Amino acid sequence: MPQIPVKIHELTVGQLSARSGAAVSALHFYEAKGLINSRRTTGNQRRYQRDTLRRVAFIRAAQRVGIPLATIRDALSELPEERTPTREDWAHLSEAWRSELDQRITQLGRLRDHLTDCIGCGCLSLENCVLSNPDDVFGERLTGSRLMKENRQGA
């Protein structure tokens, strides 16, 4: 991994990509979404502060556990003076995300446990499907593809 001399306080997008492991296109996307920012040189090239490395690491860690970018952006915007997140910030924010992650774990467990049944049954019925209709919430209204058609018309 290329080392950045201590005297360099700004990084090019290529340097930031090399150090963070994020693709240049991902960094541009993060910037467009307001997750990171850069200044432009007179030649219109992006320059990032060195602490953007930690911000990108924070974003990527949150993404790996399934946190949506909009949620990450909202969390980062709560930091004072748009500072780089610290270990304490991560602990606080990750605690706030715990219930959302627990819900996803439950949903993924249900998917894992019933995926073979769904593929094996082939019915694609919303009446009986534990994936599309957990706890049979639609069972009293309509069944099967009629419900799918109703949802499309209401959309």
Side-chain angles (χ1 to χ4, degrees):
M1 180 175 309
Q3 294 297 313
I4 301 168
V6 176
K7 63 183 179 183
I8 297 177
H9 298 287
E10 291 185 319
L11 308 173
T12 66
V13 70
Q15 289 170 323
L16 183 59
S17 174
R19 287 297 307 256
S20 69
V24 169
S25 59
L27 296 172
H28 290 172
F29 182 75
Y30 293 162
E31 189 170 357
K33 294 297 180 184
L35 295 159
I36 61 175
N37 55 44
S38 67
R39 75 167 185 87
R40 298 295 182 125
T41 66
T42 55
N44 203 30
Q45 296 174 332
R46 290 176 168 92
R47 293 292 186 264
Y48 298 91
Q49 293 292 318
R50 285 179 66 103
D51 61 1
T52 304
L53 279 168
R54 182 175 293 211
R55 199 170 180 94
V56 171
F58 179 90
I59 294 164
R60 295 189 63 181
Q63 281 186 295
R64 275 193 294 276
V65 297
I67 304 301
L69 283 178
T71 303
I72 298 168
R73 182 185 59 239
D74 292 345
L76 289 172
S77 71
E78 292 178 15
L79 298 177
E81 300 172 17
E82 294 188 21
R83 71 172 163 77
T84 300
T86 63
R87 180 176 290 167
E88 293 77 25
D89 293 327
W90 176 255
H92 173 72
L93 293 171
S94 63
E95 183 63 34
W97 295 334
R98 184 174 296 277
S99 66
E100 182 180 335
L101 292 173
D102 286 342
Q103 289 174 348
R104 288 186 188 173
I105 290 167
T106 300
Q107 290 169 340
L108 288 171
R110 182 180 287 155
L111 174 63
R112 179 200 61 223
D113 295 344
H114 297 287
L115 188 58
T116 303
D117 297 340
C118 185
I119 292 171
C121 98
C123 73
L124 300 176
S125 169
L126 292 179
E127 177 181 13
N128 299 319
C129 183
V130 295
L131 298 176
S132 297
N133 186 18
D135 304 320
D136 196 23
V137 294
F138 297 126
E140 300 205 8
R141 286 185 31 214
L142 295 171
T143 60
S145 61
R146 290 180 292 168
L147 182 57
M148 293 173 76
K149 185 175 180 182
E150 176 186 277
N151 284 341
R152 255 187 264 133
Q153 290 173 351

